[in-house]
Amino acid sequence: MSEQAEPLSSKSEGRSAEPGADTPEVSADAIKAVEELIDHTAAWLRQILAAGGEVATMLRLELQLTLGDARRILLLGLLLVPLMLFAWVVFSLLAGWLIWQAAGSVAAALGGVLVLHGACIAVLVRQLRVYQQSLGFRRTKAHVKRLMQGANDESSSTDGRD
């Protein structure tokens, strides 16, 4: 009985008497294929890192150019505001002078300039209202509302079937 107990114990442990009998032999081709795969993966990772570095460098340089242009745009915008105001004043004076020449009345000239300014203010206020109404992500809200209605419809139809 002792002879039978020994093989049972080695079988129950999952080991054979020979060392290395459980490990399958790996062919040289398989080892070579794994090494090639590792080499290709390492080369691929190096290429990704190089491309990422190039993209980061390009992004940094373009950001510097963009910031430089943004400063120039801001400066030109600041210079443009007083010039536009001055041009508006001169245009208003010209309109008033032309009305004074045609009507011969200073009151008519001032009234004409006032009407011109009022018309411009009315157009700007109308545009402000249009822009205010377009604020608020209307299309996104409508899309979310449709999605929620669809989800509610699906949940109500599945609740009725359960």
Side-chain angles (χ1 to χ4, degrees):
M1 281 217 181
S2 65
E3 291 177 14
Q4 289 178 348
E6 187 176 64
L8 286 176
S9 65
S10 66
K11 285 182 183 176
S12 64
E13 292 176 7
R15 290 183 272 164
S16 64
E18 299 176 20
D22 286 343
T23 59
E25 290 186 26
V26 179
S27 68
D29 291 338
I31 292 173
K32 185 177 178 182
V34 169
E35 288 175 351
E36 286 179 6
L37 179 64
I38 290 171
D39 290 341
H40 288 299
T41 304
W44 179 67
L45 289 173
R46 283 191 297 272
Q47 288 176 351
I48 288 175
L49 288 174
E54 290 173 4
V55 168
T57 302
M58 189 182 320
L59 181 65
R60 181 181 50 83
L61 292 173
E62 281 190 317
L63 182 63
Q64 287 175 349
L65 288 173
T66 302
L67 290 176
D69 289 342
R71 283 188 290 253
R72 288 183 204 93
I73 289 171
L74 180 65
L75 180 63
L76 289 175
L78 290 175
L79 290 173
L80 190 61
V81 170
L83 287 174
M84 287 177 62
L85 289 173
F86 184 69
W88 180 253
V89 168
V90 170
F91 175 73
S92 298
L93 290 174
L94 177 64
W97 183 72
L98 290 175
I99 294 171
W100 176 71
Q101 285 290 323
S105 169
V106 175
L110 291 175
V113 171
L114 186 63
V115 168
L116 174 69
H117 282 83
C120 289
I121 290 170
V123 168
L124 293 176
V125 167
R126 186 179 136 267
Q127 283 303 113
L128 281 173
R129 287 188 183 140
V130 168
Y131 293 144
Q132 281 179 336
Q133 290 174 355
S134 70
L135 290 176
F137 304 101
R138 289 181 298 135
R139 291 178 184 92
T140 303
K141 286 179 182 177
H143 185 69
V144 169
K145 186 177 180 180
R146 283 192 302 268
L147 286 174
M148 296 305 287
Q149 286 175 348
N152 288 338
D153 292 343
E154 287 178 11
S155 65
S156 65
S157 65
T158 57
D159 290 342
R161 292 181 193 164
D162 287 342

